[in-house]
Amino acid sequence: MTFDYDLFVIGGGSGGVRAARIASAEGGAKVALAEEYRMGGTCVIRGCVPKKLMVYASEYPGLIADARAYGWQVQPGAFDWAQFRGQLEVELTRLENAYRGTLKSAGVEVFDMRATVVDAHTVALADGRQVTTKHILIATGGRPFVPEVPGAELAITSNDIFHLAALPKRALVVGGGYIASEFACILNGLGAEVAQYYRGAQILRGFDDEARGLVATAMQANGIAIHCGTDVQRLEQGETGIRVVAQDGTVREFDLVMYATGRKPNSAGLGLEPLGVGFGRNGEILVDGWSQTAVPSIYAVGDVTDRINLTPVAIREGHAFADTVFRGVPRQADHDLVASAVFTQPELGTVGLGEEAARAQEPIEVYAASFRPMQSLFAGRQDRVLMKLVVSQASRKILGCHIVGPGAGEMIQLAAIAVKMGATKEDFDRTVAVHPTISEELVTMRNPVRRD
């Protein structure tokens, strides 16, 4: 049978673009890609990139204060949100155009419209056309959502925060994950009075307990009112703001309520259900290790599969798919020991198992150092950092590395290489420290922590 395309990709995020480019430029396939919004997906347009730029913006008040302590005669001025937002849009447009340029250079045909699946080898475009394809790749990502609570229409999600006409003076962030915690820090740094409601016992569930505890303590010290064991009962429009009634009966008023209580895969309405493609409880598309669905010609990568919802993972999955199907190089994406960073203030970088998960798995030793870093100590701040290694007693391998402090995201990337290679505690000990640095503590800890 002759097809119009060898591969049709639905979704122009990082995973879909990588798969399309590799399949076309290196695999010699005839490839098309459809994206109904803006090229680049969540990460580039409404996720990692604009969020990190907002993180940078929110850190300047602290840097200015530190500069004064170091003898610089500087004074903070007002933050110009309109200027920042305009420059942010310029940067996102530049990145979107770069993605488009990459696809064009690779010979990928782009359709700027919604596409759905008709059958195992047919895709319908929003303009009424239908095309045939040997393989279909679903890379439609995920989306944030607001739970069904009375007054939910008054709340926003992380998708909306980059487009605010003005910054709020009083903000509530609902949720305890990394997105909620990051935006609580961002809004706080930009001058808002911030509260964070989370129904669990401690924010950043799933991360090492000691590390997330230090982050929470620092956030509170920076002025963020974290209320754990608290959830929203309803939202009401008041005369001077949004009235938030919590389940414990307390009532507070905010100018902005942002929900960051989870994400859902963008899998509905694509036409996959009648074809036999499997779905999980959260709507994720079920795939095997090769990213293949129950329909042999249909694959899926990225957040729509709800495996590890990180941009670099989606890119690896898309690349592995293209290598396997179009380059004759069978390869599965490796989901083991994936490092990640949480861009709170302070940052949290992590790879491998937290202390609690490791202890449940096998006998371990824990090496940890918490101290006030030189730079902020000199400036009179009370910041603390944490360096932590979780070590297998039997193999001596590093099972987990956790860093809280300035530059934790940068440091964990390098530490992850050693952990991924199977480095032991003794390998770390043999490494000469770089002094004076925060990270030297990773190779100077000699005695395990007692947990009696």
Side-chain angles (χ1 to χ4, degrees), residues 146-267:
V146 177
E148 295 182 0
V149 297
E153 69 279 359
L154 298 173
I156 70 167
T157 69
S158 58
N159 281 0
D160 310 306
I161 200 163
F162 309 111
H163 308 294
L164 295 175
L167 287 176
K169 293 182 179 179
R170 304 164 299 171
L172 171 65
V173 179
V174 185
Y178 72 92
I179 296 174
S181 301
E182 287 171 340
F183 276 106
C185 290
I186 288 169
L187 291 168
N188 178 67
L190 295 179
E193 178 186 335
V194 179
Q196 183 176 358
Y197 287 4
Y198 177 51
R199 65 183 181 182
Q202 179 61 286
I203 63 170
L204 297 174
R205 181 172 63 88
F207 292 89
D208 179 86
D209 278 358
E210 186 176 13
R212 65 186 180 134
L214 181 56
V215 171
T217 298
M219 289 172 61
Q220 290 170 314
N222 289 335
I224 298 171
I226 299 176
H227 299 272
C228 291
T230 305
D231 206 352
V232 173
Q233 186 178 71
R234 67 181 184 274
L235 306 176
E236 302 169 348
Q237 183 61 63
E239 292 184 4
T240 58
I242 302 171
R243 296 179 70 249
V244 179
V245 181
Q247 288 183 340
D248 61 4
T250 59
V251 181
R252 292 189 62 189
E253 191 171 84
F254 299 92
D255 304 307
L256 175 80
V257 176
M258 186 190 117
Y259 267 84
T261 50
R263 297 176 63 85
K264 289 184 178 294
N266 286 324
S267 59

Side-chain angles (χ1 to χ4, degrees), residues 26 60 68 123 139 145 161 184 216 232 263 347 369 395 422 437:
E26 299 184 21
Y60 278 101
R68 290 201 301 269
V123 172
F145 68 97
I161 200 163
V232 173
R263 297 176 63 85
E347 289 182 17
S395 69
T437 65

Side-chain angles (χ1 to χ4, degrees), residues 72-127:
W72 289 95
Q73 301 304 306
V74 293
Q75 296 296 327
F79 176 65
D80 191 335
W81 167 251
Q83 177 189 330
F84 172 81
R85 192 182 64 177
Q87 186 60 33
L88 178 64
E89 185 55 41
V90 169
E91 176 62 10
L92 299 186
T93 299
R94 183 190 71 81
L95 291 171
E96 180 182 10
N97 289 334
Y99 267 64
R100 289 186 178 278
T102 294
L103 291 171
K104 182 178 180 180
S105 298
V108 177
E109 185 175 357
V110 173
F111 295 95
D112 290 301
M113 63 187 74
R114 181 172 175 78
T116 56
V117 179
V118 177
D119 60 39
H121 296 286
T122 307
V123 172
L125 299 170
D127 62 4

Side-chain angles (χ1 to χ4, degrees), residues 216-400:
T217 298
M219 289 172 61
Q220 290 170 314
N222 289 335
I224 298 171
I226 299 176
H227 299 272
C228 291
T230 305
D231 206 352
V232 173
Q233 186 178 71
R234 67 181 184 274
L235 306 176
E236 302 169 348
Q237 183 61 63
E239 292 184 4
T240 58
I242 302 171
R243 296 179 70 249
V244 179
V245 181
Q247 288 183 340
D248 61 4
T250 59
V251 181
R252 292 189 62 189
E253 191 171 84
F254 299 92
D255 304 307
L256 175 80
V257 176
M258 186 190 117
Y259 267 84
T261 50
R263 297 176 63 85
K264 289 184 178 294
N266 286 324
S267 59
L270 293 173
L272 299 172
E273 293 87 346
L275 306 182
V277 172
F279 294 87
R281 294 178 58 185
N282 195 39
E284 70 273 20
I285 296 176
L286 300 179
V287 294
D288 62 14
W290 304 98
S291 295
Q292 189 175 38
T293 73
V295 179
S297 61
I298 301 178
Y299 295 75
V301 298
D303 290 7
V304 75
T305 66
D306 202 20
R307 286 177 282 184
I308 298 178
N309 295 338
L310 296 171
T311 296
V313 174
I315 291 172
R316 289 294 183 97
E317 290 170 357
H319 202 133
F321 156 78
D323 281 348
T324 300
V325 177
F326 296 103
R327 295 187 61 240
V329 184
R331 186 167 66 87
Q332 294 189 11
D334 186 353
H335 295 98
D336 187 39
L337 291 174
V338 174
S340 63
V342 181
F343 295 107
T344 44
Q345 295 172 27
E347 289 182 17
L348 165 61
T350 182
V351 62
L353 298 176
E355 178 181 346
E356 297 70 36
R359 198 175 297 281
Q361 173 182 291
E362 61 180 282
I364 61 170
E365 291 179 349
V366 175
Y367 297 79
S370 181
F371 54 94
R372 294 172 66 188
M374 178 190 298
Q375 184 176 8
S376 59
L377 176 63
F378 183 87
R381 288 196 277 124
Q382 300 300 311
D383 299 2
R384 296 195 69 82
V385 302
L386 171 68
M387 299 284 157
K388 183 172 184 177
L389 296 175
V390 180
V391 181
S392 166
Q393 285 188 13
S395 69
R396 304 299 297 162
K397 286 185 178 181
I398 306 296
L399 300 178

